Amino acid sequence: MTGDPRATGRVLILGGTGEARALASALEGTGIGFISSLAGRVNNPRLPVGPVRIGGFGGPDGLREWLLANRIRAVVDATHPFAATITRNAARATAEAGVPLLRLRREPWSPGAADRWIRVPDLPAAAAEVARRGTRVLLTTGRQDVGVFAGIDTAWFLIRVVDAPTAALPPHHALLRSRGPYDHTSETALLRDNGIDLLVTKNSGGALTEAKLAAAADLGVGVVMVDRPAEPDSAAVSDVRAAREWLELLLD
Ligand code: NAP
């Protein structure tokens, strides 16, 4: 699906998240024109309201040229906290094009008293922890990161993904195709019924996939928590209302 940004779009929302969809909904009817952008990674993505373009821009240079050609007045980078490349590209392209940038980034999860988190800086470190500690692992790091665990033959993995991975998979595994949100009851049942002793997740934050953490804490299941990658400095907010207010002030 495509829209004509010259007719309707003044703000570019870099999306692929619930926050990006919520921002599009919050802008609808305000008089602020916008267009959402998706990478095109998943089949049948959840679409935001309003015009949408799908596919990469061709790196930071391509994004800069697209911003200029489409007379974009502001960019809201509402991409996932682990989508580090597009966030880096957005910072560079907006700086070069002289377009204001706001990062809309949800708060990370933080551990409660009952949580047993093993925090790691990246996915290879998560794989090393799994190789040391896991026997039955729920892997929720997403389709693109499964390959990092492919060499581990000492654990069985329940791999939960939206779309089937194309990377190599660990020798002992089952695939579970599903898309959140998930609730506490179903997450508890999933962990218990599969005898899971280790949960692996990125620190995505947000309510839609948070239930697995409380379920793991209740069952005494350890959590390997991958910390977020560093991001370039930019103006940032953590909720949709603040993003809308920033845009209203800027574009008034
Ligand atoms: P990434 O590694 O940061 O980006 C790789 C390339 O994908 C970018 O260089 C860009 O291509 C293109 N791209 C990414 N987001 C785009 C967007 N919103 N619109 C147009 N092009 C985009 O991204 P990723 O981690 O693969 O994530 C892809 C998308 O899935 C993001 O939109 C993100 O919000 C969403 N998502 C990611 C995760 C995750 O865990 N990484 C989880 C949930 C949702 P060009 O260089 O050609 O412009």
Side-chain angles (χ1 to χ4, degrees):
M1 185 179 300
T2 57
D4 178 359
R6 275 161 290 208
T8 55
R10 292 189 304 168
V11 172
L12 172 65
I13 303 172
L14 293 170
T17 59
E19 289 76 12
R21 289 190 294 276
L23 179 61
S25 299
L27 293 181
E28 213 184 29
T30 61
I32 297 176
F34 63 91
I35 179 168
S36 299
S37 176
L38 302 180
R41 288 279 188 284
V42 295
N43 300 322
N44 302 317
R46 288 186 180 131
L47 292 173
V49 298
V52 178
R53 66 163 299 288
I54 298 181
F57 296 93
D61 296 343
L63 177 55
R64 179 192 63 233
E65 294 311 310
W66 192 93
L67 297 176
L68 294 171
N70 291 286
R71 289 180 285 147
I72 295 297
R73 289 187 59 193
V75 174
V76 179
D77 173 7
T79 58
H80 191 270
F82 280 81
T85 304
I86 188 70
T87 290
R88 223 172 26 246
N89 291 357
R92 194 176 127 192
T94 52
E96 290 177 5
V99 174
L101 169 67
L102 181 70
R103 177 73 169 113
L104 169 55
R105 178 182 50 217
R106 64 179 87 132
E107 294 291 347
W109 296 313
S110 46
D115 286 303
R116 296 170 53 220
W117 286 11
I118 303 136
R119 292 182 62 172
V120 293
D122 53 29
L123 284 149
E129 288 298 336
V130 169
R132 282 198 318 127
R133 298 169 187 263
T135 55
R136 294 183 68 83
V137 178
L138 174 60
L139 188 61
T140 64
T141 50
R143 175 173 81 101
Q144 296 185 89
D145 299 314
V146 172
V148 178
F149 299 86
I152 300 175
D153 61 3
T154 50
W156 176 84
F157 291 83
L158 181 59
I159 302 173
R160 184 161 72 185
V161 280
V162 177
D163 288 326
T166 49
L169 300 177
H172 314 296
H173 74 268
L175 271 186
L176 174 60
R177 299 271 306 275
S178 77
R179 189 185 332 231
Y182 305 102
D183 64 30
H184 186 265
T185 306
S186 62
E187 293 294 65
T188 304
L190 184 74
L191 293 174
R192 196 166 34 211
D193 294 350
N194 289 283
I196 299 296
D197 57 22
L198 195 64
L199 164 67
V200 184
T201 179
K202 300 192 276 199
N203 194 340
S204 301
L208 300 185
T209 57
E210 191 177 18
K212 62 190 172 189
L213 301 176
D218 286 353
L219 296 175
V221 169
V223 175
V224 174
M225 181 65 71
V226 183
D227 282 339
R228 295 175 170 194
E231 293 194 3
D233 277 343
S234 64
V237 295
S238 59
D239 67 80
V240 168
R241 199 178 71 175
R244 178 183 150 166
E245 287 169 1
W246 184 89
L247 286 168
E248 284 170 342
L249 265 178
L250 181 80
L251 301 175
D252 195 12

